[in-house]
Amino acid sequence: MKLIRFGAEGNEKPGLQLNDGTRIDVSAFGSDYTEEFFGNDGIEKLKKWVINHKENCPKVPNDTRLGVPLIRPSKIVCVGLNYAQHAAEAGMDIPKEPVLFFKSTTALVGPNDDVIIPKNSEKTDWEVELAIVIGKKASYVEEADAFDHIAGYVLHNDVSERAFQIEKSGQWCKGKGCDTFAPVGPFIATTDEIKDPNNLSLWLKLNGKKMQDSSTSDFIFNVQYVVSHISQFMTLLPGDIISTGTPFGVGLGLTPPMYLKEGDVMELGIEGLGTSKQVCKNYKA
């Protein structure tokens, strides 16, 4: 299934995107896409419910806004430098184990919402990433069992302010958690929709020019390793998001570097996970 949430910001409803692209409202199922939904076999329950009720579900017009396809998770855990060529363009060594950082859940926005360049920012950058949605509580999970804890996958633009992230003292979170810095969606594809998350093409265009074009087959640490590794240090709850890192082609790595400005348009996609589009706007009080 492809899980969507749709409607005005703050008033989204749960829905599904069908294989033919039609979107339907599944509010009558009685549950939104929350931690409780993912943790209590909600995907399987919804799958069975839809068989009997699909024809009665209202259709969602194609021009309806899409929101974040799940209710705010307890955390967003990100993996840095997870593609060898991206580590090289960032001038950093290939890590011996995953580099982890958090992204604020208040950064979450819908897949086609505007990205706001923060106040005093000069180095806001783009990063297309595959994100994992946890479906079952995970603590000290073995790598062989990691897929049992995954609900699905989703497209994520890990927008980053490089001066805040790298040039200011402290951790990376200052450059990662700004408002609107986590456009997610258009949908969460459940695990049965994605044959091999470690072999998906992904790309990002800036103003129509392709800047990133790679595959998750270039991961340094693959999906199952990342889930297992993170679970050694913290409990992952249903609905939590793990973002698995970005390939080469970010603005920081260009010569000279290039950063986002008002009016820029980012378009990005991952094989099997759809596409998203964000327009950049300057912060206004």
Side-chain angles (χ1 to χ4, degrees):
M1 292 191 299
K2 298 179 176 72
L3 311 181
I4 64 169
R5 296 179 70 249
F6 65 93
E9 186 176 358
N11 291 289
E12 295 92 345
K13 297 179 180 179
L16 291 177
Q17 180 170 308
L18 306 180
N19 289 334
D20 64 0
T22 302
R23 294 168 179 162
I24 59 172
D25 181 340
V26 297
S27 299
F29 173 67
S31 175
D32 208 335
Y33 303 143
T34 62
E35 178 183 332
E36 182 179 0
F37 169 84
F38 289 108
N40 286 281
D41 212 21
I43 289 173
E44 289 304 313
K45 292 174 182 175
L46 177 58
K47 191 178 296 183
K48 293 175 182 177
W49 182 88
V50 167
I51 292 172
N52 296 319
H53 297 88
K54 182 172 70 174
E55 299 305 320
N56 298 321
C57 292
K59 287 186 169 57
V60 179
N62 289 335
D63 59 354
T64 303
R65 173 188 174 270
L66 294 178
V68 182
L70 77 171
I71 297 291
R72 186 180 293 173
S74 80
K75 52 189 169 291
I76 305 171
V77 189
C78 299
V79 182
L81 307 175
N82 199 23
Y83 293 75
Q85 290 185 68
H86 175 53
E89 73 175 351
M92 300 180 185
D93 294 333
I94 293 175
K96 294 181 173 60
E97 64 177 66
V99 174
L100 303 181
F101 61 91
F102 287 102
K103 198 170 180 86
S104 173
T105 59
T106 55
L108 286 165
V109 288
N112 303 307
D113 290 344
D114 294 335
V115 163
I116 305 302
I117 298 173
K119 183 178 181 180
N120 300 320
S121 165
E122 295 181 353
K123 297 182 179 180
T124 294
D125 205 348
W126 57 86
E127 294 192 7
V128 60
E129 302 200 6
L130 170 69
I132 302 161
V133 179
I134 296 297
K136 178 182 175 184
K137 185 177 177 180
S139 179
Y140 298 109
V141 171
E142 296 295 329
E143 191 174 341
D145 300 324
F147 283 120
D148 295 338
H149 294 265
I150 296 174
Y153 306 94
V154 67
L155 171 63
H156 174 216
N157 189 354
D158 176 21
V159 184
S160 308
E161 212 297 341
R162 302 303 189 187
F164 297 177
Q165 175 191 355
I166 299 169
E167 298 171 22
K168 293 183 179 291
S169 60
Q171 299 181 340
W172 287 4
C173 59
K174 289 183 287 190
K176 295 286 189 172
C178 304
D179 292 350
T180 75
F181 269 26
V184 171
F187 52 77
I188 296 168
T190 53
T191 53
D192 57 306
E193 297 271 348
I194 302 297
K195 182 178 179 181
D196 183 2
N198 296 309
N199 188 25
L200 300 174
S201 60
L202 70 168
W203 54 270
L204 182 144
K205 294 179 182 178
L206 177 65
N207 300 324
K209 180 181 179 181
K210 190 167 281 187
M211 309 301 291
Q212 294 183 278
D213 189 6
S214 188
S215 168
T216 60
S217 61
D218 289 333
F219 277 150
I220 298 170
F221 306 105
N222 64 21
V223 163
Q224 58 269 38
Y225 185 92
V226 162
V227 171
S228 173
H229 180 79
I230 295 172
S231 78
Q232 308 306 308
F233 304 101
M234 67 193 78
T235 296
L236 294 166
L237 297 177
D240 281 355
I241 293 173
I242 299 173
S243 202
T244 58
T246 199
F248 71 96
V250 299
L252 173 68
L254 299 176
T255 305
M258 177 192 300
Y259 298 110
L260 296 167
K261 62 186 184 302
E262 186 165 43
D264 281 347
V265 178
M266 295 176 284
E267 299 172 86
L268 55 151
I270 299 179
E271 179 183 353
L273 296 177
T275 62
S276 67
K277 180 178 179 179
Q278 300 97 41
V279 177
C280 297
K281 294 187 177 177
N282 289 335
Y283 170 83
K284 291 182 176 60

